Amino acid sequence: GLVPHWPELWTHVVNKCCKLMVKLNHPTAAKDFGSEYVYYKTVNPWLQVKILRTLQYYPPPDRPDVYGKLCDVLKRLLSDTTLQKNVNTNNSAHCVLFEAVNYIIHIESSTELIKAAVGMLSQRLTAANQPNYRYLSLDLMQRMSHIPDAAEQFKKHQSIVSTALKDNDVSLRRRALDVLYSMCDNKNSKKIVNELLDYLNGTDFAIREELVLRVAILTERFAPNLQWYVDTILKLMTLAGNYVSDQVWMRVVQIVTNHQDLQLYAAETCFKALQSEPVHESMVKCGGYIIGEF
């Protein structure tokens, strides 16, 4: 299309697109447009998706009345779109629904819409026999993670996202890991890191390397105290030593070296960790240095 290449030439279409979107979702839309424009109970879903994608090249409508009506349509899409038995009915409705969430991510400004979007996405994560919807939901949640209001809402659905780590589909597990990584902060870091460590204790080798790297980063970034940091990294080396790079244990050594009050605790903890076999090489290197020095 022309808009992606020269968006400045088409700013006048924003209000017109919004009005058309409202018209397409009016209760009498099916009658107004005719049955030939209705695809499995959704009025012209392809046009609705095109409108929503076009609007993402521009700021929200400058007319309050137009913007208000568009927000009302988005709210109805989020609340009224339900899973049906017919696959085509689901797909026609959800292609519009997920694109509506993309537009909400674009405007960022509506707390009410963001809250409704997160709630809808969390519901789709529990949809049985709908792996595509679960994947798209996780993908959108990860994209929304930079929005403060969305990040707060995610915490209410953290257990649902954690459950997705156990999905049979590796692509879903990777997306769930991305979302947990994105939603982690100082308040929930211990819980998320402990969940990831528990999961690491399993036998999922497909995302093991990514998982170890994310745990190492989160542990250092959001450590509530340095003792917890040392305990967690040592546990990480115990559970997945083959996947822990030299940079990780060397970072532990650096932090312990620079904090005198941590040195005795770290030496005692390393000594205990080295007592239980098998001991990975990275643990031997880290423990040997710390015990030898302190």
Side-chain angles (χ1 to χ4, degrees):
L2 298 174
V3 171
H5 300 286
W6 301 285
E8 67 280 358
L9 299 179
W10 305 92
T11 55
H12 62 282
V13 306
V14 173
N15 288 329
K16 293 180 180 179
C17 284
C18 292
K19 290 179 180 178
L20 180 56
M21 190 69 189
V22 172
K23 190 175 180 180
L24 286 165
N25 285 276
H26 193 273
T28 62
K31 181 179 179 181
D32 295 340
F33 285 89
S35 59
E36 63 270 26
Y37 289 98
V38 180
Y39 181 77
Y40 286 93
K41 301 182 181 180
T42 301
V43 179
N44 211 329
W46 302 281
L47 178 58
Q48 292 194 54
V49 169
K50 285 290 186 182
I51 290 171
L52 290 166
R53 287 181 179 172
T54 300
L55 291 175
Q56 290 171 53
Y57 288 96
Y58 302 99
D62 52 7
R63 288 177 51 183
D65 58 326
V66 175
Y67 180 60
K69 290 179 180 178
L70 177 62
C71 287
D72 289 339
V73 168
L74 296 174
K75 290 174 190 173
R76 285 201 303 273
L77 286 172
L78 292 169
S79 61
D80 296 349
T81 305
T82 57
L83 290 169
Q84 306 293 326
K85 292 182 179 180
N86 186 284
V87 174
N88 291 325
T89 301
N90 275 332
N91 291 341
S92 63
H94 280 76
C95 71
V96 179
L97 178 65
F98 286 126
E99 200 59 51
V101 177
N102 278 324
Y103 180 67
I104 292 169
I105 295 172
H106 168 70
I107 59 176
E108 292 188 13
S109 56
S110 175
T111 302
E112 188 177 357
L113 283 175
I114 290 169
K115 182 178 179 180
V118 173
M120 182 279 295
L121 293 174
S122 67
Q123 290 177 1
R124 295 307 181 272
L125 281 180
T126 61
N129 302 320
Q130 293 291 350
N132 291 334
Y133 294 170
R134 295 202 299 275
Y135 180 88
L136 288 171
S137 296
L138 287 168
D139 185 59
L140 288 168
M141 290 177 82
Q142 198 274 331
R143 291 187 55 217
M144 293 177 77
S145 60
H146 70 282
I147 306 174
D149 290 329
E152 285 301 312
Q153 292 297 320
F154 286 159
K155 294 175 184 177
K156 300 177 182 179
H157 308 286
Q158 184 176 318
S159 59
I160 298 176
V161 178
S162 297
T163 302
L165 271 176
K166 302 171 185 175
D167 198 282
N168 293 329
D169 189 332
V170 65
S171 62
L172 281 167
R173 298 200 298 273
R174 284 199 171 98
R175 269 290 169 246
L177 177 59
D178 290 340
V179 175
L180 287 171
Y181 180 79
S182 299
M183 71 166 62
C184 191
D185 60 20
N186 289 314
K187 295 179 182 178
N188 61 8
S189 58
K190 289 182 71 173
K191 185 174 181 181
I192 288 180
V193 168
N194 287 334
E195 285 180 353
L196 295 179
L197 286 173
D198 288 341
Y199 180 69
L200 189 61
N201 205 20
T203 57
D204 185 0
F205 295 98
I207 63 171
R208 205 172 182 84
E209 187 172 354
E210 299 169 56
L211 188 56
V212 168
L213 179 61
R214 299 294 178 90
V215 170
I217 293 172
L218 294 177
T219 301
E220 181 171 352
R221 184 180 296 171
F222 299 112
N225 57 72
L226 292 177
Q227 291 186 358
W228 181 82
Y229 168 76
V230 170
D231 290 340
T232 304
I233 296 298
L234 292 183
K235 185 174 181 180
L236 184 64
M237 287 191 284
T238 301
L239 292 174
N242 288 332
Y243 298 88
V244 177
S245 65
D246 286 344
Q247 286 81 2
V248 173
W249 73 260
M250 292 171 74
R251 181 61 178 154
V252 176
V253 169
Q254 182 182 16
I255 289 175
V256 172
T257 301
N258 293 333
H259 294 82
Q260 188 174 355
D261 57 333
L262 181 64
Q263 292 169 1
L264 178 60
Y265 177 83
E268 291 175 345
T269 305
C270 286
F271 182 78
K272 292 177 183 177
L274 291 170
Q275 304 303 304
S276 55
E277 297 182 358
V279 180
H280 192 270
E281 182 182 352
S282 59
M283 176 70 79
V284 174
K285 291 178 180 178
C286 181
Y289 187 98
I290 292 175
I291 294 171
E293 286 291 323
F294 311 114

